[in-house]
Amino acid sequence: MKINKKYFTIAALCGAMLIPLSCKKNFLTQTNTTASNADATFEKSQDVVALVNSIYDGYQNSDLLKKSIWYYANFTTHDWFNDGGDIAWNNYTISPTFGALYTFWQNAYFDIIRANSALEIIATAKTKGVVTAELGNRLLGEAYFLRGMSYYYLAGSFGGVPLELKASTNGLTPRNTQAEVFAQVVADMKQAETLLQSKTVLPATEKGRATKGAAYAYEGSAQMWLGKYAEALAAFNNTELTANYHLLPKFIDVHEFSNQNNDESLFEIQFDIQGSQSWDGGWQNGGEVAWIDDFSWPHELSGFGYDYGNPGLEYSYQTGDLRKNATIIGPGDQNISPGIIAKWGGIKGYQVVIDGFKNGTKDNSAQKYGSFVGDDGNIINTCGALRQPWYGDDLTRSGYYCAKKWRDPNLTGANGSSTIFGSQNQILMRYAEVLLSRAECKVRTGDIPGAMADLKLVRDRAFGGSAPAVMQDGLTYDGKPTTPITDPLQMVLSEYRHELTGEYSLFYLLRRAGPGVAATFIQKNYGTDATVTPQPYPYGPTADGKLHGVWRTSLPANHDILPIPQTAIGLNPNLKQNPGY
């Protein structure tokens, strides 16, 4: 990144000045410092806190979270697809000029810039007595954590990237290796572990900040990227994780809107309602709301449906697995979110559904029935009907959608006030992922009984108390029976998918497992081939012989990592492009 040296220092200051001023999510509430100059800004304790808050604020960005990290974690698995301008994800034809990639790169480095500046400023503030040693240490820990987390996602997505560890640089640093970047993640998380507060002593008003437990979770994962499984196990077994975080009794509750910052969540990005939640511009003016969830809703409800599911994902859940309809729903499936049911009575309660049923609305003239008529002829209460799935107005979607992103009962869809920008927090790391990663570490180190015990913890919850002794996926994507899974590593991979798909980590975990693992896993699940166009679905209610936006393209060699954005290379000619792009 070729950026003026001054920018690296000033960016952190500006971040503190521009932090939203009326946020209700407790720890992000700050005093207005827009009239301050650089010297005065950091002469008060609250201004140093605001500087660190600006690093958190960098992640309150829909393009960074959804169009970058979420897209990579999910579109590359073929469990989910895109129907908007980002359709290149579907068949692995992403170009170095693809705009979202530079958004990812630029925003991540902005946060790294802020963290680097914060580390220097906080140290000075401690020396001058502007902040107490206790507060200063905690803030330093947060800066280390957030920098390490940014490098974690950069390296997981692009491979080796430049390590910028000072507040000032000429922006011409060449790429470090992927291993060097993850080694830095480990170093940053180890520093954070010594400085951050434990979840047990973090005040309720500070909920949402990084904790020691979150640092141990990211350290463990970074150690796995380095193939250091014994070291990863040591991090995952730290009591800051094992004593302070727990699986919720019911999987459906993990992503409920009313249950944010819950006992399973290790780190989640905080959002809050502030100003307008519609298209009138409030969301652009510092409002901490996002389009992340609503854009995953069916087009029939929201007018969007920009991402949608692979029917084969729903078929792949083992019989009795309660995670299925809490993760993906399609024709004939109800939304089982307790919050949605309490607010709306299910899908039938949305005004757009009520009006559409009353008026006989058809999203597409080719439809035989109205879009909001259920299989029984009454108002629909399912995500499309078996006899007529919700394909969207242009019939290009699969008819299946992400139930994990359909939990905010305050959103209304495309009617009335069009409340479509929501305040659902976004969970980046939770304890179930730690348990599954720990299971993989135990497989790698030969402790198969220990790995099976960790898997059982996650699977017992998934089946409402006691999982079947035999692990077996449900039907294949084309409706055929499967055979029991007996290989321990494949068991872990299957659980990664069924527990974490539709969140922020699945493809990262598949790539972390080793070269070729992701491609083989996807091919096994979906019978992928060389085609780069959508194909008719071979089984289920959407098997009508028509194209509905489902790709079965094989993951090409070297495309398990993303291309370095061309704009970044143009600014820093010392960056070298990834092979295959």
Side-chain angles (χ1 to χ4, degrees):
M1 297 174 62
K2 189 176 181 180
I3 300 178
N4 187 289
K5 289 183 180 181
K6 293 181 180 179
Y7 187 84
F8 280 80
T9 301
I10 293 172
L13 172 60
C14 292
M17 290 180 169
L18 297 176
I19 192 166
L21 305 176
S22 57
C23 171
K24 299 177 184 177
K25 279 283 175 79
N26 295 320
F27 82 80
L28 291 179
T29 303
Q30 296 300 323
T31 303
N32 190 337
T33 62
T34 54
S36 301
N37 60 35
D39 291 333
T41 296
F42 304 112
E43 290 297 324
K44 297 179 181 179
S45 175
Q46 61 264 37
D47 296 326
V48 181
V49 174
L51 169 61
V52 174
N53 287 355
S54 74
I55 314 174
Y56 288 96
D57 190 59
Y59 276 87
Q60 290 174 320
N61 182 299
S62 298
D63 283 341
L64 174 60
L65 288 176
K66 185 69 180 281
K67 293 188 74 172
S68 301
I69 298 174
W70 194 92
Y71 278 14
Y72 180 73
N74 292 284
F75 288 164
T76 41
T77 69
H78 272 352
D79 282 347
W80 309 93
F81 299 105
N82 180 263
D83 189 64
D86 304 334
I87 205 166
W89 289 94
N90 295 7
N91 56 17
Y92 307 115
T93 59
I94 298 170
S95 164
T97 61
F98 190 70
L101 298 187
Y102 187 61
T103 297
F104 187 175
W105 185 277
Q106 183 181 50
N107 287 357
Y109 273 104
F110 278 169
D111 258 24
I112 290 166
I113 293 165
R114 292 171 177 173
N116 289 341
S117 294
L119 290 171
E120 296 182 7
I121 291 168
I122 296 166
T124 301
K126 283 180 62 182
T127 300
K128 294 169 62 177
V130 174
V131 294
T132 65
E134 180 182 11
L135 176 58
N137 286 340
R138 193 203 76 194
L139 295 174
L140 284 171
E142 292 176 36
Y144 278 117
F145 174 87
L146 293 166
R147 184 176 74 177
M149 190 180 75
S150 296
Y151 277 125
Y152 177 91
Y153 290 110
L154 281 170
S157 305
F158 297 101
V161 298
L163 281 174
E164 298 286 4
L165 304 176
K166 299 292 183 181
S168 296
T169 175
N170 62 11
L172 298 177
T173 305
R175 296 176 66 179
N176 291 81
T177 67
Q178 177 176 293
E180 288 171 336
V181 179
F182 278 114
Q184 184 61 47
V185 175
V186 169
D188 280 350
M189 293 303 169
K190 282 183 173 291
Q191 285 275 22
E193 290 158 11
T194 68
L195 296 164
L196 290 170
Q197 288 187 318
S198 170
K199 174 187 175 181
T200 58
V201 299
L202 192 69
T205 54
E206 303 294 321
K207 186 176 286 188
R209 290 192 181 277
T211 63
K212 287 181 182 291
Y216 279 111
Y218 275 98
E219 186 218 322
S221 187
Q223 296 279 25
M224 291 182 71
W225 279 96
L226 295 169
K228 297 182 177 181
Y229 299 109
E231 290 86 343
L233 277 172
F236 292 144
N237 285 327
N238 190 280
T239 54
E240 285 291 342
L241 280 172
T242 58
N244 298 333
Y245 298 89
H246 309 89
L247 295 180
L248 299 187
K250 297 180 180 179
F251 180 78
I252 187 68
D253 291 335
V254 173
H255 299 283
E256 277 298 287
F257 183 81
S258 61
N259 207 22
Q260 299 176 76
N261 295 307
N262 60 58
D263 201 34
E264 185 170 337
S265 176
L266 280 151
F267 189 71
E268 58 189 73
I269 305 302
Q270 309 291 303
F271 286 89
D272 199 9
I273 297 172
Q274 182 177 227
S276 173
Q277 289 183 258
S278 66
W279 278 113
D280 64 8
W283 64 281
Q284 294 175 312
N285 300 319
E288 292 173 1
V289 292
W291 47 258
I292 291 172
D293 287 0
D294 195 276
F295 278 29
S296 296
W297 288 21
H299 180 273
E300 285 77 0
L301 284 183
S302 64
F304 304 117
Y306 289 153
D307 50 90
Y308 54 90
N310 193 322
L313 173 61
E314 181 170 298
Y315 309 152
S316 75
Y317 279 89
Q318 189 171 0
T319 301
D321 192 331
L322 301 177
R323 295 175 295 191
K324 181 177 73 171
N325 284 352
T327 300
I328 184 169
I329 54 176
D333 296 331
Q334 295 189 26
N335 187 310
I336 61 173
S337 162
I340 298 298
I341 293 171
K343 173 79 172 183
W344 303 100
I347 293 171
K348 66 182 179 182
Y350 289 102
Q351 194 62 46
V352 67
V353 176
I354 296 170
D355 293 343
F357 177 75
K358 178 181 177 181
N359 299 328
T361 302
K362 293 182 178 180
D363 250 24
N364 189 285
S365 59
Q367 292 178 188
K368 182 176 181 180
Y369 308 99
S371 297
F372 304 100
V373 179
D375 288 308
D376 59 2
N378 297 317
I379 188 170
I380 200 166
N381 198 33
T382 58
C383 183
L386 290 168
R387 65 184 182 181
Q388 186 173 280
W390 275 354
Y391 294 129
D393 61 338
D394 54 4
L395 308 181
T396 59
R397 298 162 183 85
S398 69
Y400 290 77
Y401 300 91
C402 186
K404 289 180 176 177
K405 294 292 178 221
W406 193 348
R407 300 294 182 87
D408 186 346
N410 301 299
L411 302 182
T412 64
N415 65 278
S417 62
S418 291
T419 303
I420 56 178
F421 292 91
S423 58
Q424 181 90 39
N425 289 352
Q426 301 298 308
I427 302 173
L428 296 189
M429 178 70 75
R430 57 187 177 92
Y431 191 55
E433 180 176 334
V434 169
L435 290 174
L436 294 176
S437 291
R438 193 172 73 177
E440 183 184 341
C441 287
K442 291 177 179 179
V443 171
R444 304 284 189 179
T445 56
D447 181 10
I448 304 304
M452 295 302 103
D454 282 342
L455 288 180
K456 181 173 171 56
L457 290 172
V458 176
R459 282 175 55 76
D460 279 352
R461 196 260 300 267
F463 286 84
S466 183
V470 175
M471 182 187 290
Q472 183 171 351
D473 286 354
L475 298 176
T476 63
Y477 77 96
D478 52 356
K480 295 181 175 61
T482 61
T483 57
I485 304 173
T486 57
D487 178 79
L489 180 58
Q490 293 304 314
M491 291 180 178
V492 173
L493 298 180
S494 178
E495 278 303 298
Y496 280 150
R497 181 190 187 201
H498 292 114
E499 178 72 23
L500 299 168
T501 188
E503 300 182 37
Y504 286 88
S505 57
L506 178 55
F507 193 79
Y508 290 99
L509 303 182
L510 295 177
R511 190 167 91 79
R512 187 186 67 184
V517 171
T520 300
F521 188 72
I522 296 165
Q523 201 284 328
K524 172 179 171 289
N525 289 331
Y526 292 120
T528 57
D529 54 36
T531 59
V532 291
T533 58
Q535 300 175 41
Y537 217 79
Y539 174 78
T542 61
D544 59 1
K546 299 178 182 178
L547 300 179
H548 297 297
V550 176
W551 274 250
R552 285 178 43 229
T553 309
S554 294
L555 178 60
N558 300 315
H559 281 236
D560 57 341
I561 59 175
L562 299 174
I564 302 298
Q566 191 60 47
T567 302
I569 293 175
L571 292 170
N572 178 2
N574 293 320
L575 296 177
K576 303 301 181 185
Q577 186 56 268
N578 282 324
Y581 290 103

